[in-house]
Amino acid sequence: MIPLQDLSFFILAALILVISPGPNMIYLISKSITQGKKSGFISLMGVVCGFMFHIIMVSFGLTAVLLAVPLAYTVLKTIGTVYLLYLAYQAIKPKSKNIFEIDQNGTHDGPKKLFTIGFLTNVLNPKVAVFYLSFFPQFIKPEYGSILTQSLELGVVQVLVSFTVNFLIVLTAARVALFFNNNPAWIKVQKWFMASVLTYLAVKMAFSKAK
């Protein structure tokens, strides 16, 4: 089992990263505003199932890699550092898109389509798998027990954090979009805060040592 102190830091990191604008957030906000909260919730169920798909695939793959190739930790750490710095840049790059500008002319989709698109939006997003592969190793240590168990533990925690945040987004999508459109300065604050946290995580990852 992962110690509570490490798990608490992971929860904080997962919370910061889940509020980073991406395909899932755009899709959930869009459907919640154009089709209502019920449609947003169905879409969220698809997104969550997509997370579970990635977690299962990455957990077994990560276990095999870390047990078979000691050098894999260094490789994954490097990938993770570069990836987090890339996310930090994406948050503050010039002319980055405001996700709260939603197209109100979306078509009305049925439950099956809402779920399927939510699922595929997540499964077909390579950044999700890269995130798990690059971020999980920083919290997984042999002395804490089974690598597979730790990976699944982190996955479940990340899904719970993501579900909670995205569920709140579904419930408040219309009000959140209106607030940010009326207060554009908060968009800039959010972007720079996000970039600062991601950069800190990247530096921490770069100087971490394999056990």
Side-chain angles (χ1 to χ4, degrees):
M1 296 291 290
I2 300 174
L4 182 59
Q5 181 177 356
D6 289 357
L7 198 59
S8 297
F9 183 77
F10 176 80
I11 291 174
L12 176 62
L15 178 61
I16 295 298
L17 290 172
V18 76
I19 63 176
S20 176
N24 293 333
M25 184 180 290
I26 294 173
Y27 181 66
L28 292 175
I29 291 177
S30 176
K31 291 305 176 184
S32 298
I33 292 177
T34 60
Q35 294 190 206
K37 296 176 183 178
K38 182 179 179 180
S39 295
F41 183 74
I42 295 172
S43 301
L44 176 56
M45 291 300 96
V47 169
V48 168
C49 288
F51 275 127
M52 296 305 298
F53 172 84
H54 279 293
I55 288 169
I56 292 173
M57 296 298 290
V58 170
S59 293
F60 284 95
L62 182 61
T63 299
V65 169
L66 293 183
L67 289 178
V69 186
L71 186 61
Y73 182 89
T74 301
V75 174
L76 291 178
K77 182 180 70 173
T78 302
I79 293 173
T81 300
V82 173
Y83 176 62
L84 290 176
L85 289 174
Y86 168 77
L87 288 180
Y89 170 73
Q90 289 296 311
I92 60 173
K93 70 177 183 179
K95 297 182 180 180
S96 57
K97 183 179 180 181
N98 175 4
I99 68 165
F100 299 102
E101 296 177 356
I102 303 299
D103 181 10
Q104 298 289 343
N105 299 318
T107 57
H108 189 86
D109 299 324
K112 182 178 180 180
K113 185 174 182 180
L114 288 168
F115 179 90
T116 301
I117 294 178
F119 177 75
L120 293 177
T121 296
N122 215 355
V123 168
L124 299 179
N125 183 4
K127 291 183 180 180
V128 177
V130 172
F131 164 69
Y132 287 143
L133 280 171
S134 60
F135 203 61
F136 278 25
Q138 314 313 313
F139 297 88
I140 295 175
K141 300 176 183 178
E143 58 265 35
Y144 295 161
S146 167
I147 293 177
L148 175 60
T149 300
Q150 292 180 66
S151 183
L152 291 174
E153 180 183 355
L154 292 176
V156 170
V157 169
Q158 190 272 334
V159 167
L160 289 175
V161 172
S162 297
F163 174 83
T164 301
V165 172
N166 286 318
F167 183 70
L168 293 175
I169 287 174
V170 169
L171 292 178
T172 62
R175 282 177 288 178
V176 170
L178 180 62
F179 172 81
F180 278 104
N181 278 327
N182 292 336
N183 300 274
W186 280 102
I187 293 289
K188 184 176 293 186
V189 172
Q190 181 265 346
K191 288 180 177 180
W192 279 98
F193 176 72
M194 184 75 61
S196 299
V197 172
L198 291 170
T199 300
Y200 167 76
L201 291 174
V203 172
K204 180 179 182 297
M205 184 181 297
F207 287 96
S208 63
K209 296 181 180 180
K211 301 294 182 180

